[in-house]
Amino acid sequence: MSELLVVENLTVTFPTARGPVDVVKDVSFTVGRDETVGIVGESGSGKSMTSLAVMGLLPKGARTRGSIRLDGTELLGRSDRELRRLRGERMSMIFQDPLSSLNPYYTVGLQIEEMYRAHRGTSRKAAREVAIAALAQVGLPEPERRVDHYPHQFSGGQRQRIMIAMALVCDPELLIADEPTTALDVTVQAQILRLLAELRRESGTGMMFITHDLAVISSIATRVLVMRRGEQVEYGTAEQVFAEPRHEYTRMLLESIPRIDDPVDDAVDGAVDDGVRS
Ligand SMILES: Nc1ncnc2c1ncn2[C@@H]1O[C@H](COP(=O)(O)OP(=O)(O)O)[C@@H](O)[C@H]1O
Ligand SMILES: [Mg+2]
């Protein structure tokens, strides 16, 4: 498995009134093509800062050290312009709350079309066909009609499907999913998880899957990085980490989940569908 993303000794520092604070400290991991790496840790452990560093989307004032290479190309220190080009095209991210990333004033179709056209420069008409196909691919019913609807006309689970469609429309090599199911009902969570796993497999995309829930990681990831207070406390194959956790903190996380080896498909058996995918 050739490495798609190589993160080495990543440190993210913020200036504060009490001096600089490292919110990510010396974190190293790799994501292979066609692989899901799970990043798990409690709230505030630096998971989002790690993903935003990869995307080049850290808040103003943040300083980075180390190396982040996508397919051999160093990302740290690149200009905003270069990073904008890479985002959407070669790497995309989906967030916990799809409403905050969708523009309420535009139809979902137009938003997917603009993402596509920004990178591919096709005609409106061609982009619209792409948007409809993308909505169909994420299991949205009646995509030809729904493409002209606004974000508020969809349920939370449907909006997350739309975000996934937008993230994947340019066929990126790397997808970062930052707690994509945290804001959803449990049954819808399982469906979104299954959809992501399916689409990732079909497209061969590498995925960074971030969650505070180790149970979710166990169903989706081949490698696991456990973070705590900005530090990497554990990193290894999912098998290793689940069977022989080295760190006391990981053992604690493991003990707090009832069952650790449910595959995704089992988790959704008998789940009530949110009405968009059978
Ligand atoms: N703009 C900022 N300035 C300083 N510290 C910040 C800023 N944004 C977030 N942090 C801190 O960075 C740490 C890591 O945050 P984050 O990566 O969002 O955690 P997680 O995603 O694991 O919940 C937290 O302790 C948070 O308080
Ligand atoms: Mg976060």
Side-chain angles (χ1 to χ4, degrees):
M1 195 157 22
S2 75
E3 305 298 10
L4 169 66
L5 182 76
V6 179
V7 175
E8 273 175 345
N9 308 106
L10 175 67
T11 297
V12 178
T13 309
F14 278 104
T16 72
R18 287 169 294 125
V21 172
D22 293 345
V23 296
V24 176
K25 296 172 205 165
D26 214 16
V27 166
S28 303
F29 63 95
T30 61
V31 182
R33 283 161 220 291
D34 216 2
E35 179 191 30
T36 299
V37 172
I39 301 185
V40 67
E42 61 202 359
S43 175
S45 56
K47 306 183 299 295
S48 291
M49 291 303 154
T50 302
S51 9
L52 293 173
V54 174
M55 291 293 288
L57 289 173
L58 283 170
K60 270 214 156 44
R63 305 270 301 265
T64 49
R65 270 178 291 146
S67 170
I68 301 176
R69 296 190 300 279
L70 181 69
D71 208 6
T73 304
E74 180 61 54
L75 298 185
L76 289 185
R78 288 254 200 152
S79 70
D80 285 348
R81 192 156 162 266
E82 289 174 298
L83 287 166
R84 241 194 323 271
R85 258 239 293 279
L86 294 174
R87 284 195 294 268
E89 172 78 29
R90 301 195 57 196
M91 53 184 185
S92 351
M93 185 159 170
I94 31 180
F95 299 89
Q96 178 174 330
D97 174 15
L99 252 199
S100 65
S101 350
L102 285 165
N103 187 325
Y105 299 110
Y106 295 105
T107 65
V108 297
L110 191 68
Q111 294 180 61
I112 300 175
E113 285 163 37
E114 290 199 336
M115 166 68 119
Y116 188 73
R117 272 160 51 86
H119 295 285
R120 300 291 156 89
T122 61
S123 70
R124 271 255 133 81
K125 194 154 169 280
R128 185 180 162 85
E129 291 310 310
V130 170
I132 291 170
L135 291 176
Q137 196 192 15
V138 295
L140 210 73
E142 300 184 81
E144 292 90 350
R145 191 171 69 85
R146 297 294 259 161
V147 71
D148 294 319
H149 286 185
Y150 291 85
H152 74 267
Q153 296 175 281
F154 296 90
S155 70
Q158 288 173 332
R159 281 196 288 261
Q160 198 55 290
R161 285 173 194 269
I162 292 162
M163 288 312 299
I164 294 169
M166 195 181 303
L168 294 178
V169 74
C170 290
D171 207 10
E173 293 137 89
L174 177 70
L175 177 65
I176 303 180
D178 189 354
E179 311 223 27
T181 63
T182 302
L184 303 173
D185 292 343
V186 173
T187 53
V188 181
Q189 276 185 19
Q191 291 157 17
I192 295 294
L193 211 56
R194 181 168 63 174
L195 173 70
L196 266 176
E198 261 172 34
L199 292 176
R200 197 211 59 72
R201 238 189 338 262
E202 284 164 17
S203 58
T205 309
M207 177 153 80
M208 264 167 74
F209 189 95
I210 289 142
T211 178
H212 60 271
D213 185 351
L214 202 56
V216 167
I217 288 282
S218 69
S219 68
I220 201 164
T222 43
R223 266 192 276 194
V224 177
L225 167 70
V226 180
M227 290 184 70
R228 187 189 196 195
R229 295 191 197 129
E231 282 171 21
Q232 170 170 343
V233 296
E234 188 115 18
Y235 174 58
T237 66
E239 270 172 15
Q240 247 168 39
V241 171
F242 287 110
E244 318 160 27
R246 295 205 185 100
H247 198 280
E248 185 57 33
Y249 178 68
T250 314
R251 274 193 282 272
M252 254 171 50
L253 283 181
L254 283 169
E255 276 161 19
S256 67
I257 55 175
R259 287 185 301 166
I260 59 166
D261 46 9
D262 291 354
V264 171
D265 287 353
D266 285 5
V268 292
D269 271 354
V272 181
D273 198 89
D274 65 351
V276 293
R277 205 177 157 92
S278 55

